[in-house]
């Protein structure tokens, strides 16, 4: 959390439960979040803590307020008649909300250059699965999937546009970045190899193709080889494709 008064990081709170509470409140923006809803998220019925969930929740809210008080004069969460809400005096914006805003702007943009800049800013925000340490939480799964799909669609459109512009330097940069985030993105491997060949390094392209074979499924790799063969950018693609058929 960043404020004019300082920064509060997850590890400094030293409480995964406080972080989970904060994340749920941020990702499920409501004027008021009922206590029973928070009970079910933090301590599912049947767990040892469920019977004392009201007391435990008050304790978490107190600790969260204390931690936030180190970087702001305002109280972070307020108690309502049957639950909690963020202090309406605070203008809170998350990186996910910024990503969504940029995604919408990109869809609405008709100017290619402006759209590319917007897409670059958006994909640079995405570092991987949202709150991946909690990906087993039922309430997190649809959120994780939503942003994975939105990111993949965005980055693949960016790569295609950069290729159309023959901007091979940035095509290589963003393709490599996409692979680091999602090693199973076939299109990212395709565009990285295309850019590498156009930048004059077929030897490196061979290495990249070998890396793709290790990270992709057999079907995905065969699809990549077909795409490279059809592109006719280098005889290497044919060589690899024919070798795969022989195997």
């Amino acid at each position: 959390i960043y404020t004019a008064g300082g920064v509060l990081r997850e590890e400094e709170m030293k409480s995964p439960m406080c972080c989970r509470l904060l994340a749920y409140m941020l990702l499920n923006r409501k004027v008021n979040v009922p206590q029973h809803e928070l009970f079910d998220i933090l301590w599912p019925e049947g767990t040892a803590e469920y019977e004392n969930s009201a007391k435990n929740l008050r304790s978490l809210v107190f600790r969260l307020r204390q931690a936030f008080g180190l970087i702001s004069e305002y109280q972070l969460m307020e108690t309502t008649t049957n639950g909690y809400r963020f202090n309406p005096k605070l203008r809170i914006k998350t990186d996910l909300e910024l990503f969504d805003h940029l995604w919408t702007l990109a869809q609405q943009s008709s100017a290619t250059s402006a759209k590319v800049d917007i897409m670059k800013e958006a994909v640079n925000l995405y570092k991987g699965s949202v709150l991946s340490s909690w990906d087993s939480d039922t309430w997190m799964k649809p959120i994780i999937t939503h942003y994975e799909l939105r990111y993949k669609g965005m980055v693949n459109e960016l790569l295609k546009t950069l290729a159309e512009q023959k901007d091979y330097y940035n095509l290589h940069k963003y393709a490599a970045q996409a692979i680091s985030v999602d090693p199973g993105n076939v299109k990212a491997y395709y565009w990285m190899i295309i850019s590498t060949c156009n930048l004059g390094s077929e030897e490196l392209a061979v290495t990249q193709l070998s890396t793709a074979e290790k990270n992709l499924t057999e079907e995905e790799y065969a699809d990549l080889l077909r795409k490279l063969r059809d592109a006719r950018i280098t005889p290497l693609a044919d060589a690899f494709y024919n070798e795969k058929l022989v195997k």
Side-chain angles (χ1 to χ4, degrees):
I1 305 175
Y2 294 85
T3 72
V7 181
L8 179 62
R9 304 187 186 281
E10 180 178 356
E11 58 270 18
E12 293 168 355
M13 282 197 263
K14 299 178 181 178
S15 171
M17 294 301 288
C18 278
C19 294
R20 185 179 262 100
L21 170 60
L22 176 59
Y24 186 78
M25 295 286 289
L26 286 170
L27 294 173
N28 296 271
R29 291 296 183 90
K30 300 176 182 178
V31 174
N32 176 71
V33 182
Q35 287 192 78
H36 66 82
E37 186 175 323
L38 294 174
F39 295 163
D40 292 340
I41 293 299
L42 298 169
W43 304 283
E45 190 170 0
T47 59
E49 300 89 349
Y50 185 77
E51 289 187 6
N52 295 315
S53 50
K55 179 180 177 181
N56 292 335
L57 179 57
R58 292 197 304 273
S59 176
L60 287 182
V61 171
F62 176 78
R63 292 167 66 185
L64 199 52
R65 285 170 175 165
Q66 275 196 317
F68 187 72
L70 297 174
I71 60 170
S72 176
E73 61 183 286
Y74 295 100
Q75 184 169 270
L76 177 63
M77 290 174 62
E78 294 184 340
T79 304
T80 63
T81 53
N82 69 332
Y84 296 92
R85 68 174 183 179
F86 280 118
N87 186 341
K89 293 180 181 178
L90 296 172
R91 291 181 296 172
I92 299 173
K93 181 177 284 291
T94 67
D95 52 0
L96 291 181
E97 289 171 315
L98 177 56
F99 180 89
D100 285 335
H101 175 65
L102 292 169
W103 186 89
T104 300
L105 287 179
Q107 304 310 303
Q108 296 173 344
S109 178
S110 56
T112 303
S113 59
K115 186 172 184 176
V116 165
D117 288 341
I118 294 168
M119 289 192 291
K120 284 180 180 178
E121 187 177 353
V123 300
N124 284 335
L125 279 175
Y126 190 83
K127 308 301 182 186
S129 294
V130 178
L131 299 175
S132 57
S133 58
W134 303 338
D135 58 8
S136 60
D137 287 20
T138 303
W139 67 274
M140 275 299 304
K141 290 179 181 179
I143 296 173
I144 291 171
T145 301
H146 170 78
Y147 285 101
E148 283 178 347
L149 294 175
R150 185 161 279 195
Y151 166 77
K152 194 164 189 173
M154 175 84 78
V155 76
N156 285 343
E157 185 177 356
L158 172 62
L159 295 176
K160 181 182 178 182
T161 306
L162 291 172
E164 291 169 351
Q165 295 179 334
K166 300 189 186 304
D167 184 354
Y168 296 115
Y169 173 80
N170 276 310
L171 180 60
H172 186 276
K173 172 186 174 181
Y174 283 97
Q177 180 177 312
I179 290 168
S180 69
V181 170
D182 177 14
N185 189 336
V186 176
K187 290 182 180 179
Y189 283 108
Y190 171 78
W191 289 122
M192 185 168 70
I193 292 169
I194 292 289
S195 63
T196 299
C197 290
N198 275 282
L199 290 170
S201 183
E202 290 189 357
E203 186 176 340
L204 179 57
V206 173
T207 301
Q208 292 168 345
L209 199 53
S210 298
T211 300
E213 184 174 19
K214 294 175 183 176
N215 291 330
L216 299 176
T217 66
E218 187 174 343
E219 294 78 11
E220 289 170 338
Y221 184 63
D223 182 44
L224 173 62
L225 292 178
R226 281 192 294 271
K227 291 179 185 297
L228 290 171
R229 180 199 59 176
D230 294 343
R232 294 290 179 185
I233 191 168
T234 169
L236 289 176
D238 274 342
F240 271 90
Y241 183 75
N242 292 331
E243 179 188 351
K244 191 68 180 177
L245 288 182
V246 170
K247 288 182 180 179

